[in-house]
Amino acid sequence: MNDRFLEGRVALVTGATSGIGLAVAEALGAAGAVVHINGLGDAAQVRAALAAVRAAGAPEAVHHPADLRDPAAIRAMMAAAGPLDVLVNNAGIQHTAPLADMPEERWDALLAINLSACFHTMKAALPGMAARGFGRVVNIASVHGLVASLHKAPYVAAKHGLVGLSKVAALEMAGQGDRASGGVTVNCLCPGWVETPLIEPQIAARAGDGGREVGIRALLAEKQPSLRMALPAEIAALALWLCRREAHNLTGAAIPVDGGWTAQ
């Protein structure tokens, strides 16, 4: 599936200066899309991300520094990006603590970035997609959009909310376009453990003298039966497939990529 089927299309990926978001941006660029990215990082990291997206094949790559806690900043970003064919909401933050000890400001920040920002980007992008008869929204939720874990109240609440929000949007867009145009679809991907730098400390804490692979298996044994993590590029490949015209009837889904976690 390395054809340039998104040639002439425009995409925006949030949380795209590293990890899953950057992998998705690269995949969209390789398929021919002009790619707008939003994400944190210093100037060097942003330059590196843009260079990676262009090297993957994007005819153009642009960074938007919008603070996703700020609806006005999101509206400005969406206006600057212009009409979108593909929107990938990937940005997210995490904070773990028992519910009674969760700082209220962390609750507010997690709900703002992990859920409300997705509402604002979708509100801006979906009308144009409907008018053109083609659009793809891929929301990167989490296995925690389907099941809960201890000490993750705001994250679980936001990701469950994102799955529900996506289902409503999918229903509202289901009749737009047709098979020829590709229609407008809204779906969630729900990854379990994904191999990113953010989880390296958790692996190291469980590795002991057995090395990294032992640490990975010990970490995943708690919940993920496959005992292997997904790679960001694997999540990106699934997101890219959802953008294909053949995926016109796959909408309103919350697709787990979790090694059997939610099958238990």
Side-chain angles (χ1 to χ4, degrees):
M1 292 188 182
N2 291 324
D3 59 298
R4 306 272 291 179
F5 72 95
L6 290 177
E7 199 82 58
R9 303 288 194 186
V10 179
L12 169 67
V13 186
T14 68
T17 49
S18 64
I20 293 172
L22 179 55
V24 171
E26 290 174 316
L28 294 170
V34 169
V35 182
H36 296 256
I37 66 172
N38 162 267
L40 301 176
D42 58 23
Q45 184 175 1
V46 170
R47 284 195 301 270
L50 290 171
V53 175
R54 294 187 187 108
E60 185 179 357
V62 181
H63 177 255
H64 300 271
D67 183 343
L68 297 185
R69 297 169 298 181
D70 181 358
I74 296 172
R75 288 192 293 272
M77 174 180 71
M78 299 301 287
L84 296 178
D85 301 292
V86 177
L87 169 64
V88 181
N89 284 306
N90 171 74
I93 59 173
Q94 175 65 289
H95 186 85
T96 59
L99 181 61
D101 299 328
M102 182 67 66
E104 293 177 4
E105 65 273 15
R106 299 310 296 164
W107 170 273
D108 291 340
L110 262 78
L111 267 289
I113 292 174
N114 295 5
L115 177 57
S116 294
C118 303
F119 161 76
H120 293 296
T121 59
M122 291 165 67
K123 181 180 179 182
L126 284 170
M129 293 178 176
R132 294 186 298 276
F134 177 85
R136 294 292 185 266
V137 177
V138 182
N139 291 322
I140 309 299
S142 166
V143 67
H144 286 114
L146 304 172
V147 295
S149 290
L150 291 170
H151 303 162
K152 296 180 180 179
Y155 190 80
V156 170
K159 295 300 186 179
H160 271 69
L162 182 55
V163 169
L165 172 64
S166 300
K167 289 181 178 181
V168 173
L171 290 174
E172 293 181 357
M173 293 292 111
Q176 303 300 321
D178 53 27
R179 183 182 289 110
S181 70
V184 180
T185 69
V186 183
N187 291 289
C188 281
L189 300 185
C190 299
W193 291 108
V194 180
E195 193 161 336
T196 66
L198 292 176
I199 66 168
E200 289 300 325
Q202 297 178 71
I203 294 171
R206 292 163 175 81
D209 297 328
R212 187 172 182 275
E213 189 61 33
V214 169
I216 290 172
R217 293 177 71 85
L219 177 64
L220 271 61
E222 297 170 12
K223 291 185 176 168
Q224 190 154 312
S226 69
L227 300 182
R228 59 182 182 271
M229 291 186 285
L231 297 173
E234 294 165 354
I235 306 300
L238 180 52
L240 184 64
W241 186 85
L242 290 173
C243 296
R244 298 188 70 88
R245 199 180 306 273
E246 299 91 322
H248 67 92
N249 249 349
L250 204 174
T251 194
I255 304 171
V257 189
D258 63 5
W261 185 331
T262 54
Q264 301 175 98

